[in-house]
Amino acid sequence: MAEHSFPPLKNDLLLRAARGETVERPPIWVMRQAGRYLPEYHEAKAGRDFFECCRSPEIASTLTLQPIERFGGLIDAAIIFSDILVIPQAMGMTVEMVDKKGPHFPDPLQTPQDKQYIELMERHVDVAKELDYVYKAITLTRKKLDGRVPLFGFTGAPWTLLCYMVEGGGTKLFKQVKTWIYKYPEETKALLQKISELCVEYLALQVKAGAQIVQVFDSWAGELSPSSFKKFSQPYLAYIAKHLPLRLKELGLEQVPMVVFPKGAWYALDACADMGYQVIGMDWLHHPAEAVKIIGDRPVVLQGNADPGVLYGSHESITEVVTEMVKGFGWAERKKGWIVNLGHGITPFVNPDDLKFFFQEIHRLTKTD
């Protein structure tokens, strides 16, 4: 059994929907809902380094709760304030968050002959110890949430983490990682497997700390061709989906719904539906009605998928996009199988009031009389 006792959950809508149940309205949350578009985020961050905020359970929990406080009653989940790159940090790599530029690895992996690669593969990584601050933040947040909504834990997917570890940060070319997969495929797979095992343990310990649902972010999945996705992403996403439930069982913990988000890999929707995840996050390049057809009668819930850019637009545009989604996901007929989200995280400079309008329109256009 979990060692923490938490207040009972008052709003379990998202968890019921994630399990494929028929629900009274589609649950809503959005990626990056806790973050820089909120003025209160900058106030709470108070000039601290991004990773310093992640490592402080008190600050991380405060930031996690901000959208729940601001949009009270409109959203149905919180997601712990953290970053996917805490796994490479736990593996011994240095990651800095550079203002206006994003994450930066001063010493990325060069080649498998590299001393750093060999050390990385040989090193025993204790994610219980190295990422203890994340679990503390989750436990504290669950208590502060007081059962208002469920709490998401998450990890980066092995392929996406590998991209950052060899590119040294964000990129448009993906030159280094493409060199790795096409020049050193076996060494690449060995590293991906190691990352996968760490992701399983990391997610299991997040659940132990109080996470009630988990998401695997494969943010760079769309950089792979369909055949490369089958070699360098799919097996490792499937490994997590298979082994996380086994690890939770070993720890005497209840199973939680698992979400996979293979951004940009529209061609992989069919394969993802057979991986063992209960929910598939979709970006805005998918047509909802087509996605519903591809899933067919498989017990998989879809999450998404408004273009985050619509939040820069007029309220009329937001209403139009919401209307299209409600129709495309067949909400009126199905009353299940959909968790509302954007097709990626909220982009900078969005006015929080426009996001609030997006939430309100979802409620208005899906409510049952």
Side-chain angles (χ1 to χ4, degrees):
M1 291 296 292
E3 60 200 37
H4 307 288
S5 62
F6 298 112
L9 191 55
K10 297 163 197 157
N11 173 1
D12 66 347
L13 181 68
L14 185 126
L15 299 183
R16 285 187 283 125
R19 291 193 292 261
E21 295 176 24
T22 301
V23 286
E24 54 276 22
R25 65 170 175 84
I28 314 165
W29 73 284
V30 291
M31 292 176 274
R32 294 200 193 125
Q33 64 187 23
R36 57 193 169 174
Y37 74 103
L38 290 173
E40 56 266 42
Y41 165 83
H42 297 281
E43 211 175 290
K45 192 169 175 269
R48 291 180 186 88
D49 172 72
F50 174 83
F51 284 114
E52 193 187 329
C53 294
C54 293
R55 284 191 289 269
S56 161
E58 189 57 56
I59 296 168
S61 75
T62 295
L63 297 174
T64 302
L65 286 168
Q66 285 178 343
I68 308 305
E69 313 280 0
R70 179 184 271 261
F71 305 116
L74 290 174
I75 52 177
D76 301 296
I79 182 164
I80 195 65
F81 183 83
S82 186
D83 194 84
I84 64 171
L85 298 178
V86 297
I87 289 261
Q89 286 177 333
M91 294 174 83
M93 295 187 78
T94 301
V95 190
E96 302 158 349
M97 195 61 76
V98 180
D99 199 33
K100 298 187 174 55
K101 186 182 167 202
H104 172 64
F105 288 66
D107 188 18
L109 292 173
Q110 305 288 337
T111 73
Q113 288 72 48
D114 224 9
K115 182 168 164 258
Q116 190 182 189
Y117 173 84
I118 296 159
E119 283 173 0
L120 210 66
M121 291 305 295
E122 287 174 353
R123 182 177 296 135
H124 167 70
V125 182
D126 183 353
V127 287
K129 175 171 163 272
E130 297 294 336
L131 299 176
D132 182 58
Y133 59 88
V134 179
Y135 318 130
K136 282 195 168 84
I138 287 172
T139 303
L140 181 60
T141 304
R142 263 298 293 278
K143 287 178 176 162
K144 285 191 192 174
L145 273 170
D146 193 31
R148 280 174 283 177
V149 291
L151 179 62
F152 264 90
F154 69 91
T155 185
W159 160 253
T160 291
L161 295 176
L162 177 85
C163 287
Y164 279 107
M165 289 161 75
V166 301
E167 293 290 346
T171 178
K172 287 197 172 97
L173 289 178
F174 292 87
K175 174 179 176 283
Q176 306 304 336
V177 79
K178 295 295 173 85
T179 302
W180 272 73
I181 65 172
Y182 294 121
K183 209 180 247 189
Y184 321 116
E186 294 316 309
E187 292 90 341
T188 299
K189 288 173 184 174
L191 181 50
L192 286 166
Q193 179 58 31
K194 175 153 189 156
I195 298 169
S196 306
E197 290 163 15
L198 295 175
C199 288
V200 167
E201 188 65 11
Y202 179 44
L203 289 173
L205 294 176
Q206 288 184 57
V207 173
K208 186 181 179 188
Q212 292 150 290
I213 179 168
V214 294
Q215 177 157 317
V216 180
F217 284 86
D218 208 353
S219 312
W220 296 122
E223 292 305 319
L224 290 165
S225 68
S227 66
S228 294
F229 181 87
K230 279 186 180 147
K231 288 181 202 154
F232 299 105
S233 178
Q234 190 172 319
Y236 307 99
L237 292 174
Y239 180 92
I240 294 169
K242 181 182 176 186
H243 287 85
L244 177 58
L246 298 175
R247 184 65 181 127
L248 291 176
K249 198 174 173 189
E250 276 178 10
L251 292 169
L253 297 165
E254 282 182 28
Q255 299 301 320
V256 300
M258 301 179 294
V259 187
V260 64
F261 178 54
K263 183 177 177 285
W266 54 268
Y267 50 78
L269 183 61
D270 185 46
C272 287
D274 293 327
M275 275 183 198
Y277 290 91
Q278 287 71 44
V279 183
I280 301 171
M282 305 191 322
D283 59 50
W284 67 95
L285 303 178
H286 289 269
H287 191 290
E290 288 301 312
V292 169
K293 261 189 228 162
I294 290 166
I295 297 299
D297 57 5
R298 287 176 283 189
V300 172
V301 173
L302 296 172
Q303 177 177 278
N305 74 329
D307 179 353
V310 75
L311 298 175
Y312 296 133
S314 64
H315 281 194
E316 290 76 18
S317 297
I318 292 172
T319 301
E320 191 182 331
V321 165
V322 169
T323 305
E324 281 173 8
M325 274 201 301
V326 172
K327 192 177 171 199
F329 284 105
W331 178 253
E333 305 76 43
R334 299 171 72 221
K335 296 284 189 290
K336 64 176 187 177
W338 181 33
I339 293 170
V340 183
N341 209 306
L342 300 173
H344 196 212
I346 297 169
T347 41
F349 314 115
V350 161
N351 182 333
D353 290 339
D354 293 329
L355 178 63
K356 183 179 183 180
F357 181 76
F358 171 79
F359 294 146
Q360 288 168 330
E361 285 298 86
I362 291 287
H363 282 262
R364 183 176 73 84
L365 292 163
T366 59
K367 73 175 179 208
T368 40
D369 298 324

